[in-house]
């Protein structure tokens, strides 16, 4: 394969930085009413997402309980199969404890608050500024890495010349 003469930085951080700057400008240009509408929409969307997750957990719990009931009712055909029954019971019980606690989304739903337009705007501006800082740093680090790789490969190629 041909060894490149130079490397180019990825567009990821540069593109994400442009999106964050655009988002910041958009939020800053919004009226108080527009921010309030966005805050209400975000609240409703988040509330619905939490409620759906809670219901999904309850549905999964019902399925696990049904499976556990079937396992408990199953008669192992031999002594060798009793270990399988115990294993199935343990796996289902473990899955219930891990997958169906439901407390996270219930807690999040309890803590969920409808923000005022002003508070929503402040959160969005902070998030955009954090994104700008993150992607600015990421892009600078990517450029530095690429420049070092380019320098390294150029020195290698020069050292191989007769």
């Amino acid at each position: 394969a041909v060894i490149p003469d130079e490397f180019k930085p990825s567009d990821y951080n540069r593109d994400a930085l442009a999106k964050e700057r655009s988002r910041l400008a958009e939020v800053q240009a919004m009226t108080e009413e527009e921010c309030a509408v966005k805050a209400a929409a975000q609240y409703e969307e988040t509330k619905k997402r939490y409620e759906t997750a809670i219901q999904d957990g309850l549905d999964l719990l019902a399925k696990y309980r049904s499976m556990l009931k079937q396992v408990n009712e199953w008669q192992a055909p031999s002594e060798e199969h009793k270990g399988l029954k115990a294993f199935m019971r343990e796996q289902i019980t473990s899955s219930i404890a891990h997958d169906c606690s439901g407390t996270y989304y219930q807690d999040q739903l309890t803590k969920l608050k409808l923000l005022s337009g002003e508070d929503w705007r402040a959160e969005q501006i902070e998030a955009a500024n954090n994104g700008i800082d993150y992607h600015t740093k990421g892009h600078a680090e990517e450029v530095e890495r690429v420049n070092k790789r380019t320098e390294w490969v150029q020195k290698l190629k020069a050292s191989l010349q007769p």
Side-chain angles (χ1 to χ4, degrees), residues 8-31:
K8 301 285 184 192
S10 161
D11 295 337
Y12 171 74
N13 282 302
R14 190 194 67 211
D15 292 348
L17 183 57
K19 287 178 185 173
E20 291 293 348
R21 286 181 175 147
S22 175
R23 179 171 79 141
L24 177 62
E26 181 182 320
V27 169
Q28 288 174 328
M30 293 173 83
T31 66

Side-chain angles (χ1 to χ4, degrees), residues 38-159:
K38 290 281 190 178
Q42 182 177 330
Y43 172 84
E44 290 300 325
E45 178 184 315
T46 303
K47 180 181 173 190
K48 183 177 180 182
R49 191 171 63 247
Y50 291 159
E51 290 170 343
T52 298
I54 291 166
Q55 187 58 53
D56 289 349
L58 292 172
D59 293 346
L60 184 59
L61 179 60
K63 290 176 185 176
Y64 280 146
R65 285 182 174 159
S66 173
M67 289 170 52
L68 187 58
K69 181 177 185 269
Q70 292 174 46
V71 167
N72 287 332
E73 291 172 353
W74 179 63
Q75 297 300 314
S78 73
E79 284 298 314
E80 293 175 350
H81 291 88
K82 287 185 178 181
L84 175 61
K85 182 174 182 172
F87 177 73
M88 289 188 297
R89 185 182 299 129
E90 185 276 326
Q91 289 293 299
I92 295 169
T93 303
S94 169
S95 294
I96 288 171
H98 183 265
D99 299 343
C100 302
S101 69
T103 59
Y104 173 77
Y105 290 110
Q106 191 61 51
D107 291 345
Q108 293 302 309
L109 186 58
T110 302
K111 294 175 189 175
L112 185 62
K113 302 287 185 237
L114 174 60
L115 298 177
S116 68
E118 183 179 322
D119 289 342
W120 180 86
R121 181 197 319 264
E123 274 192 5
Q124 296 301 307
I125 288 172
E126 181 180 2
N129 282 327
N130 288 341
I132 288 168
D133 291 346
Y134 176 83
H135 291 294
T136 297
K137 180 181 175 191
H139 181 69
E141 290 170 352
E142 171 78 3
V143 167
E144 183 179 342
R145 277 191 303 275
V146 165
N147 288 341
K148 285 181 180 180
R149 283 187 206 135
T150 296
E151 180 184 357
W152 186 90
V153 80
Q154 287 175 350
K155 285 179 180 178
L156 173 65
K157 286 178 124 181
S159 75

